[in-house]
Amino acid sequence: PVEYVGIGTMSKSKNNGVDPQALIDQYGADTARLFVMFASPPEQTLEWSGAGVDGAQRFLRRLWNCAHERHAAIATAGPVDAAALDDAQKGLRREIHAILRQADYDYQRKQYNTVVSAAMKMLNAIEGAALLPGAATAAVQREAMSILVRVLYPVVPHVTHVIWSDLGLAAAH
């Protein structure tokens, strides 16, 4: 029998573990991986949260929707021409690259929860950027999505592989 004693850690002795296969069957492997990596640093114990799993799934849905909303523009965009950018486009690029710098540092320190947080910040920046017509905007959006997908690839390889292919990013790199 399982006795509820409040929030605690999972352990076999307390018979309160969560079967990862059940989580994968219900939400998918990428959602399970994202939740586990975002929930806590690797050296700390993980406190289970059903709401956290739902949040991971919502984030992946937002990523998918963002990529597909921008599909037409990103798939045909060329490289970024820095001289042709307006202030908003330069701002987005600067923000994405600053977040990338932090994510790279966090990967080196094996702080995967903050890498996922950085990816969430990138997605917020991309979603917040205006979808204005023009080659320069499309090029900046393409570069930003390319960086975001590469940052997330080790965490959620299945979703990011499909987005990478669908957006035609493989041909550019």
Side-chain angles (χ1 to χ4, degrees):
V2 177
E3 294 179 30
Y4 182 76
V5 293
I7 295 176
T9 58
M10 288 190 278
S11 73
K12 287 191 276 184
S13 66
K14 294 179 183 174
N15 195 25
N16 66 351
V18 175
D19 180 16
Q21 189 59 50
L23 181 66
I24 291 167
D25 292 343
Q26 183 175 357
Y27 293 98
D30 280 347
T31 298
R33 287 172 57 97
L34 183 69
F35 167 71
V36 169
M37 292 184 152
F38 182 60
S40 72
E43 70 279 356
Q44 293 181 6
T45 58
L46 172 67
E47 289 190 14
W48 180 256
S49 164
V53 177
D54 291 337
Q57 188 175 46
R58 278 192 310 275
F59 171 74
L60 289 178
R61 198 173 304 122
R62 277 182 52 215
L63 173 66
W64 184 268
N65 290 338
C66 180
H68 286 278
E69 286 168 5
R70 290 158 175 75
H71 178 269
I74 290 174
T76 58
V80 174
D81 177 9
L85 302 181
D86 64 22
D87 289 342
Q89 295 160 341
K90 288 178 185 176
L92 175 60
R93 266 188 106 203
R94 195 172 12 262
E95 184 176 1
I96 294 294
H97 284 271
I99 297 168
L100 173 61
R101 186 177 310 111
Q102 183 62 46
D104 180 53
Y105 178 71
D106 292 336
Y107 262 126
Q108 292 175 25
R109 295 181 315 133
K110 296 179 175 64
Q111 295 296 309
Y112 304 119
N113 59 321
T114 54
V115 169
V116 173
S117 176
M120 291 175 176
K121 290 176 186 175
M122 282 185 194
L123 182 58
N124 288 340
I126 293 168
E127 287 177 332
L131 280 173
L132 302 173
T137 298
V140 171
Q141 293 271 338
R142 178 183 179 93
E143 179 185 68
M145 281 301 290
S146 171
I147 291 169
L148 172 57
V149 168
R150 285 183 278 171
V151 164
L152 275 175
Y153 180 74
V155 180
V156 288
H158 304 100
V159 169
T160 54
H161 173 76
V162 172
I163 291 171
W164 183 264
S165 298
D166 286 353
L167 294 179
L169 297 172
H173 297 281

